[in-house]
Amino acid sequence: MLKEALIDAFKPSFYEHFWSLKDVSFDLQKGCALGIVGPNGSGKSTILKIIAGVMSPTKGSVKVTGRIAPLIELAAGFHPELTGRENVYLNGTILGMTKKEIDEKFESIVNFSGLKEYIDTPVKHYSTGMYMRLGFAVVVHSNAEIFLVDEILAVGDAEFQKKCVKKMREFKDNGAIIIFVSHDLKTVSEFCDEVIYLDKGRLLSRGAPKKVIEDYHNKKIIRWGDGEMSIEEVWVNKKNGRNNVFKAGDIKLSFSVKSKENVKDPVFGISIKNDKDEEVLAANTHWNKQKTGEFSRNQEIVVTFDISNRLPSGTYWVTPAIAHSNLLDNYDWRSNMLSFTVSGETSGLVLTPQVSITIDQ
Amino acid sequence: MFKYKDLLVELVKREVKSRYKQSVLGYAWVLLVPLINLVVLSLVFSYFVRIPTGDIPYPIFLFTALIPWMFTSNSIIFATSSLVSNSNLITKIYLPREIFPVASVVSKIIDFLLSILILFIFMFVYKIPLGVSLLYLPIVLVIHLLFVLGISFIFSAINVFYRDIENTMGVVTTLWMYLTPILYPQDIVPDKYLIFLKINPMTSIIESYRDVFLYNRFPRIDYFIYSLVFSVSVFVLGFVFFRSRSKYFADVI
C-alpha cells in the first residue's frame, strides 16, 4: 500500500485525460519525406517527440532504425555563456557525435554556418539567425539518418533557408528519412512525398501531398466513434432554416441525436472554429458540470447550446461530438459538419462566452 | 553509458566553464569559497569557542571533514535541480536522463580534488605527515561518490514532480552538516545522542576520511562496512527509482 502510494505520487496526474494522439500508424522507408499538417494542438509535435524517444506512448510502439536528429529546436543544447566553438562540441555530442567526429568536421561545420569570424564569441552575442545557422550547421554534419523538422525553416534569411532545403533534399536523395511538420503548405507539397493530416490526434487523411492538402483545405467532414449514439443533424437557431448568415448576437446551436443502445451519462459538446482553423469556442456538458442521465435505445433528443456572446463577423465551422462519460472514447464525432457566417460590424475576440446547454427529450 | 562518454565530458565542461564566466576571479572561486569557510569557522571554533581536537590543529581537523562535506552538499544541491534546468534538452532530444545528475556530480568532483590539494598544502604547513594510509583514499572516495550519486538520483527525480525539493535543499544540507561530526569530534557528544550521529552515513564517511588523512590508519572497520553497505544500497535504489520515473519526465517537466 505504502509503496504504491509513494510510486503513484511520482506519476504525472492529469485532471482530465485526453489522447493527444490516437490510432495513428504509419511506416516510412529510406529516402522518404513525410509531411504532417494540421491545426494547432492536433498532435503534430507529439508525433515528433514520440519518434525522438522523448515521450513514450501510453499504448502502441515506435520502432526506429538509425540515428535521429531532432530539428525541433536547433539550438536546444546551446549555452549562452559559451563560445560558438564550445557550443559546436556541446551540441554535436548531444546529437550523438563523438569528439573525434566533431574534430574532423569542425572546419566544414564552421564554413557551412558562415560564422567563421564569430566562432570564438560567446553565443549570447549572436542574433537569432546566427544561432539557427550554427545549430543547423551542426545538425547537417551529425550523420543522422532521420531528421525531425518542426517549422524551423521559417527562421533565418531567405538565402539560408534555401541552403537548408537544398541540404535536406540532398540527405533525402542519399536515403535519409525526413519528417516535416509545418503550417507552410507550399513547402510541404513541394518537399514531401507523402502527407498526413491530423486533427485532435486523429489521422484524418493520408496520401499524396496534393490530395491531402486539398482535404485539409476542404476540411472534409470526418466522422468517428462507436456509433452507439449518433449525431443526425445540426443547425443554427431554427431547424430546416435555409439561412446560414446571421447578424451578431445570441445564437442557438442545436444538434439532434439518436441513441442506438442504452447509454448512460454521455457528454455532449461542440467546438466552433474560425476560417483560420482556430478554435474560438468549445463547450460541453462535462465542463458545465451537467449530468445528462440515461438514454434508452432508439430515443431521440435535441441538444441546444445557447451562446450568449458575440462572435466576430466571419465564417465558422461547427463540430458536434458525443463522448463517453470517461471522456476517452467517442460515440460520434463529426468534424466541420456545418458552417455559418456571422455578418455585421463586430470584430475582435470573443470574451468569456457564456454557454448554457439544454437537452430536450 | 559508455556511448555517451564524450557527451558527459562536454556537459561537465559546460558546467565548469559557464559557472565562472563573466567573473574576474573565475575558477579561483572554487578554492576561495572553502578557504573563506575554513578561516571563519576556524576562528570561531578555535578562539571564541574552543573545541578540543587532541594533537591535530583545529583548522586541519576541520578542513579534512569540511571539503568532503562541501562535495556532498554542493553535488546534491546542484544535481537536484539538474533535470529541471535542462528541461529544454529533456523535452526535445532523447538522451539517457541519468547523464544530467551524473554530470553535475562529476563537475563537483573536480572541485573536490582541487581542494584536496589545498589540504595537502595546509598539512605541509602544519607539519602533519602524510601516511601510507593515503593509499586507502580511493576506496573511501568511491564509497562517498556512490552515496552522493544515489542521493542525487533520488532527489533530482523527485524534484521533477515536486519542485519543493530544490527549495528545501539549503536547509536540509545545513541541518545535516550539524548532525555530522564536521565541526566537532564525536567524543564530545553525550552518549545518549551518539546513536543519531552513528546512523547518519555521512558520519562514517567523514570519519573514514579523517582516519586516512590524519591518523594514518585504515578506516574503522565498523564505519567502513556500514558506509559501504549504505552507499551501495542507496546507489542501486536511487538508480532503479530514477529509471522507473524517467519515462514521465518529459510529460511533467
Side-chain angles (χ1 to χ4, degrees):
Chain A
M1 265 300 269
L2 182 70
K3 188 188 147 222
E4 274 160 30
L6 195 67
I7 298 293
D8 280 341
F10 302 118
K11 255 187 200 165
S13 63
F14 300 109
Y15 294 107
E16 277 175 36
H17 288 270
F18 76 101
W19 295 100
S20 55
L21 278 178
K22 205 177 177 195
D23 301 329
V24 178
S25 301
F26 54 86
D27 36 22
L28 290 173
Q29 303 299 323
K30 278 186 151 192
C32 177
L34 175 79
I36 305 178
V37 296
N40 289 335
S42 57
K44 302 185 299 272
S45 298
T46 308
I47 289 197
L48 294 194
K49 285 183 175 179
I50 287 175
I51 296 171
V54 167
M55 285 183 167
S56 38
T58 322
K59 282 183 186 171
S61 63
V62 177
K63 216 179 145 203
V64 176
T65 321
R67 191 191 273 184
I68 295 184
L71 277 70
I72 293 172
E73 199 175 296
L74 283 172
F78 278 15
H79 193 291
E81 294 286 351
L82 300 182
T83 65
R85 181 188 302 273
E86 290 164 335
N87 271 307
V88 166
Y89 279 90
L90 182 60
N91 232 27
T93 49
I94 286 170
L95 291 170
M97 297 161 87
T98 60
K99 183 170 177 295
K100 206 169 141 255
E101 269 180 87
I102 305 171
D103 285 337
E104 285 161 6
K105 292 175 179 168
F106 190 79
E107 280 272 321
S108 161
I109 292 174
V110 175
N111 288 338
F112 188 88
S113 71
L115 293 169
K116 201 170 183 134
E117 307 140 70
Y118 308 104
I119 201 70
D120 289 309
T121 310
V123 298
K124 64 179 174 184
H125 300 305
Y126 282 22
S127 67
T128 318
M130 290 161 82
Y131 240 79
M132 290 293 156
R133 274 151 65 182
L134 192 61
F136 193 81
V138 177
V139 172
V140 299
H141 288 83
S142 69
N143 273 350
E145 290 143 295
I146 300 160
F147 291 89
L148 309 176
V149 187
D150 194 353
E151 296 282 6
I152 55 109
L153 300 179
V155 198
D157 53 75
E159 200 188 327
F160 188 71
Q161 275 183 42
K162 255 189 226 154
K163 208 168 164 185
C164 294
V165 174
K166 196 175 145 235
K167 202 75 192 170
M168 285 287 142
R169 280 231 165 81
E170 232 174 276
F171 284 132
K172 200 180 103 162
D173 295 341
N174 289 330
I177 289 176
I178 291 157
I179 301 177
F180 186 50
V181 164
S182 184
H183 286 109
D184 178 4
L185 299 176
K186 192 164 160 282
T187 316
V188 168
S189 60
E190 279 170 14
F191 190 71
C192 299
D193 309 301
E194 197 178 352
V195 178
I196 60 177
Y197 165 26
L198 292 179
D199 194 4
K200 299 234 159 110
R202 305 276 177 155
L203 189 95
L204 296 195
S205 177
R206 174 184 182 174
K210 197 163 170 275
K211 172 188 159 268
V212 177
I213 287 169
E214 211 166 277
D215 286 344
Y216 184 47
H217 277 309
N218 293 344
K219 299 179 186 178
K220 205 167 68 173
I221 297 172
I222 307 284
R223 188 168 185 178
W224 64 69
D226 57 24
E228 288 180 11
M229 286 189 115
S230 71
I231 297 164
E232 303 290 319
E233 273 183 275
V234 59
W235 62 90
V236 180
N237 288 355
K238 217 165 77 192
K239 198 177 180 180
N240 301 327
R242 293 229 173 88
N243 185 16
N244 74 343
V245 180
F246 302 95
K247 285 240 148 51
D250 294 357
I251 53 170
K252 276 186 209 291
L253 254 167
S254 310
F255 58 87
S256 57
V257 177
K258 193 169 176 183
S259 57
K260 308 256 163 85
E261 299 290 336
N262 295 330
V263 167
K264 192 168 177 272
D265 280 332
V267 176
F268 299 107
I270 49 158
S271 142
I272 301 179
K273 285 180 176 176
N274 66 15
D275 227 20
K276 292 188 200 110
D277 223 23
E278 296 161 338
E279 192 164 67
V280 293
L281 193 150
N284 64 45
T285 50
H286 176 76
W287 290 344
N288 276 22
K289 297 195 170 64
Q290 274 173 269
K291 282 270 174 209
T292 50
E294 284 180 50
F295 299 94
S296 53
R297 182 193 272 247
N298 288 330
Q299 193 176 342
E300 286 181 35
I301 53 171
V302 171
V303 186
T304 302
F305 294 76
D306 274 295
I307 300 163
S308 72
N309 211 312
R310 303 168 141 220
L311 292 165
S313 55
T315 302
Y316 295 92
W317 294 83
V318 181
T319 300
I322 316 170
H324 284 238
S325 56
N326 64 9
L327 296 172
L328 296 180
D329 302 298
N330 285 316
Y331 293 112
D332 201 2
W333 195 101
R334 300 184 73 166
S335 66
N336 305 313
M337 201 176 166
L338 174 83
S339 87
F340 66 90
T341 303
V342 175
S343 69
E345 288 171 4
T346 61
S347 64
L349 291 167
V350 182
L351 298 168
T352 55
Q354 299 284 317
V355 179
S356 68
I357 307 170
T358 48
I359 297 165
D360 302 308
Q361 309 260 339
Chain B
M1 205 68 186
F2 183 74
K3 209 180 123 197
Y4 293 96
K5 183 186 80 235
D6 286 353
L7 173 61
L8 182 64
V9 171
E10 287 300 323
L11 285 175
V12 171
K13 270 197 205 160
R14 178 182 74 170
E15 304 296 1
V16 172
K17 280 183 185 163
S18 64
R19 197 170 347 144
Y20 300 109
K21 286 248 166 146
Q22 201 83 50
S23 74
V24 180
L25 295 176
Y27 208 70
W29 279 113
V30 171
L31 301 174
L32 277 173
V33 175
L35 280 177
I36 294 168
N37 266 325
L38 177 74
V39 169
V40 173
L41 292 170
S42 297
L43 220 79
V44 173
F45 292 107
S46 53
Y47 291 102
F48 306 165
V49 183
R50 223 168 256 278
I51 290 183
T53 52
D55 298 337
I56 309 288
Y58 186 77
I60 295 291
F61 174 86
L62 174 66
F63 208 48
T64 45
L66 192 64
I67 54 175
W69 173 258
M70 286 184 73
F71 168 61
T72 308
S73 66
N74 289 344
S75 302
I76 295 175
I77 290 174
F78 195 41
T80 297
S81 53
S82 64
L83 292 170
V84 173
S85 56
N86 283 295
S87 58
N88 59 336
L89 286 179
I90 288 172
T91 54
K92 273 157 200 141
I93 299 174
Y94 178 76
L95 300 168
R97 311 289 160 62
E98 296 82 14
I99 205 152
F100 298 109
V102 171
S104 308
V105 172
V106 171
S107 72
K108 298 296 175 190
I109 294 179
I110 299 170
D111 301 0
F112 182 32
L113 295 178
L114 279 174
S115 39
I116 288 182
L117 288 180
I118 301 277
L119 173 69
F120 289 158
I121 296 171
F122 269 84
M123 289 174 74
F124 179 76
V125 171
Y126 280 92
K127 299 198 173 57
I128 294 170
L130 282 168
V132 274
S133 63
L134 217 54
L135 294 173
Y136 304 128
L137 182 63
I139 309 174
V140 180
L141 272 173
V142 168
I143 293 176
H144 188 191
L145 181 62
L146 287 178
F147 177 72
V148 168
L149 282 172
I151 298 279
S152 298
F153 283 140
I154 297 172
F155 283 1
S156 60
I158 299 178
N159 191 53
V160 172
F161 300 89
Y162 302 104
R163 302 286 148 84
D164 313 54
I165 302 295
E166 69 181 62
N167 294 320
T168 49
M169 282 324 287
V171 183
V172 169
T173 51
T174 308
L175 289 178
W176 195 358
M177 179 172 129
Y178 288 109
L179 293 175
T180 309
I182 293 164
L183 302 169
Y184 51 88
Q186 264 191 78
D187 26 307
I188 66 166
V189 178
D191 280 352
K192 57 178 173 178
Y193 300 119
L194 215 49
I195 181 74
F196 295 108
L197 242 63
K198 294 209 165 154
I199 56 170
N200 171 4
M202 275 313 291
T203 301
S204 304
I205 292 172
I206 293 289
E207 291 296 354
S208 300
Y209 276 112
R210 283 207 175 110
D211 280 335
V212 169
F213 279 128
L214 301 180
Y215 303 111
N216 194 13
R217 60 189 179 208
F218 187 79
R220 256 182 68 173
I221 198 73
D222 50 340
Y223 283 170
F224 180 75
I225 291 169
Y226 181 66
S227 59
L228 177 68
V229 171
F230 203 104
S231 297
V232 171
S233 322
V234 166
F235 179 76
V236 171
L237 270 174
F239 187 74
V240 170
F241 177 74
F242 190 95
R243 262 288 154 95
S244 74
R245 295 307 93 193
S246 63
K247 62 173 177 246
Y248 301 117
F249 290 167
D251 288 330
V252 181
I253 209 157

